[in-house]
Amino acid sequence: MMIPKMQEMPTSSEAVNPQKEKKLIHSITNNSGILIAFIILCIFFSITSEAFLTSANILSVLRQISINAIIALGMTLIILIRGIDLSVGSIVAVSGTFSVGLLVDGFSIPIAICISLLLAIAIGFINGFITSKGKMPSFIVTLAMMTMARGLAYVYTGGLPLRYDASPVFNAIGNGYIGPIPVPIIIMIVCVIIISILLNRTKFGRYVYAIGGNPEAARFSGINIKRIEIIVFTISGFFAGLAGIILASRLSSGQPTAGQGFELDAIAAVVLGGTSFNGGIGKISGTIIGALIIGVLSNGLNLMHVPFYYQLIIKGAVIIGAVYIDSIKKNNL
């Protein structure tokens, strides 16, 4: 009796690779629209300005977007769980003014940075605690915190900028280079790697997507939604605080007016990158592309000598367009 030859079972690597390929293709196609928009934007500005594609200008753009991209990383997490954080710009001001103020008062650089970051983390924690435990809309909570934190920066500085340029080490955080690459870009890359691992390789990341996708189902599955919300807002506070220190280093001063409108740019980067306001959908890679578009748009308009107030109108229109596209996607699902 002839025994039929059994087919060889695929090895684990052979079975997994198609899945990895599908995920890669899905990620590329998800970001294809925003990538095309980014490429078109670059082509347009390279035609209108010879200075756009120079290495010096490219590095300048990357340095400029680093602060917005770092803030947008935390904003991505918050929007993924259907929240919003309007206080990030004010946290930038608080962190920057306190770091410079502590240095002026004689504190060492590590201590000044740590205290400033802890203050930013505390503000983020308070946002998350009140939002989750008080069951209040994050829009209202962070709107109030935006005003309070800005007031704190003004009180601490007496309404005047704090100047500090005595330390080359502190100034190097925002203005230095490691090889040919500016330090803020390296900090941004490290933050992107960390938050990408956190979202894609840990239970925390799966919980964030689950809460944003279906809060009731997440609750019934045993996920501690309140704890995750607090952690997410705390992370957002940390990133905003880090951005504030980088900005203070770049300016060699702590400005109580710093960070105004930064929440607008961060939200624009996140939404442009494909993260849905309805939660549960979005990638860090998309956020970075969104931040690049905002940076390239600002840089290109500056090279074309477009007045700043017109740039604000254009950015607002871009956000409306991105939200409109997001709503169309939702209705077609």
Side-chain angles (χ1 to χ4, degrees):
M1 182 176 179
M2 300 225 15
I3 300 176
K5 186 178 179 181
M6 296 183 65
Q7 293 183 347
E8 293 183 3
M9 295 294 292
T11 63
S12 59
S13 61
E14 290 172 340
V16 171
N17 284 338
Q19 295 296 326
K20 288 183 177 179
E21 290 175 3
K22 287 180 181 179
K23 287 182 179 179
L24 179 61
I25 293 171
H26 180 69
S27 176
I28 293 173
T29 53
N30 268 354
N31 292 329
S32 60
I34 193 70
L35 272 172
I36 292 171
F38 174 65
I39 292 170
I40 292 173
L41 202 61
C42 289
I43 293 173
F44 173 76
F45 286 128
S46 64
I47 293 172
T48 57
S49 175
E50 294 180 357
F52 179 76
L53 285 181
T54 62
S55 58
N57 188 62
I58 291 172
L59 282 177
S60 176
V61 171
L62 291 175
R63 188 201 293 270
Q64 289 169 9
I65 72 144
S66 61
I67 291 175
N68 182 37
I70 290 171
I71 298 172
L73 294 177
M75 190 70 76
T76 301
L77 296 181
I78 290 178
I79 293 179
L80 279 173
I81 62 169
R82 305 188 181 191
I84 198 74
D85 190 352
L86 300 178
S87 66
V88 289
S90 297
I91 295 175
V92 167
V94 169
S95 177
T97 53
F98 269 77
S99 61
V100 172
L102 291 170
L103 289 172
V104 171
D105 290 338
F107 286 82
S108 66
I109 294 174
I111 292 177
I113 291 175
C114 286
I115 292 175
S116 301
L117 287 177
L118 285 174
L119 180 58
I121 289 170
I123 294 173
F125 175 84
I126 293 170
N127 282 336
F129 185 85
I130 296 176
T131 299
S132 61
K133 299 293 185 180
K135 297 181 180 180
M136 296 175 62
S138 59
F139 178 88
I140 300 300
V141 174
T142 58
L143 178 64
M145 184 58 73
M146 176 179 71
T147 305
M148 293 172 64
R150 182 70 62 183
L152 178 61
Y154 275 107
V155 169
Y156 181 72
T157 61
L160 300 173
L162 299 177
R163 185 76 184 172
Y164 184 80
D165 54 6
S167 173
V169 175
F170 182 73
N171 291 339
I173 297 174
N175 300 299
Y177 289 79
I178 296 180
I181 305 175
V183 172
I185 297 176
I186 295 175
I187 296 174
M188 176 188 69
I189 293 171
V190 171
C191 290
V192 169
I193 293 172
I194 292 173
I195 205 69
S196 296
I197 293 173
L198 194 64
L199 263 184
N200 300 316
R201 302 290 182 182
T202 66
K203 287 183 179 180
F204 171 78
R206 292 194 292 272
Y207 291 166
V208 167
Y209 281 108
I211 292 170
N214 192 326
E216 289 302 317
R219 184 178 291 106
F220 287 131
S221 66
I223 297 175
N224 190 332
I225 295 178
K226 292 181 179 180
R227 184 177 68 179
I228 298 299
E229 286 178 343
I230 292 173
I231 294 173
V232 165
F233 276 95
T234 302
I235 291 173
S236 178
F238 168 79
F239 281 127
L242 180 61
I245 291 171
I246 295 172
L247 182 61
S249 173
R250 281 190 64 185
L251 301 175
S252 296
S253 66
Q255 305 273 355
T257 58
Q260 289 183 343
F262 279 23
E263 59 280 347
L264 172 68
D265 286 346
I267 293 170
V270 175
V271 177
L272 281 172
T275 300
S276 173
F277 271 119
N278 297 297
I281 299 174
K283 296 287 184 182
I284 293 299
S285 57
T287 295
I288 297 304
I289 297 172
L292 281 168
I293 287 182
I294 296 296
V296 166
L297 187 62
S298 297
N299 179 261
L301 292 175
N302 284 333
L303 291 175
M304 293 175 65
H305 306 292
V306 175
F308 175 71
Y309 35 88
Y310 283 114
Q311 295 184 30
L312 293 177
I313 295 172
I314 294 171
K315 286 181 182 179
V318 167
I319 295 174
I320 292 175
V323 174
Y324 178 69
I325 293 172
D326 177 53
S327 66
I328 291 176
K329 287 181 180 179
K330 179 192 174 187
N331 294 330
N332 290 335
L333 288 177

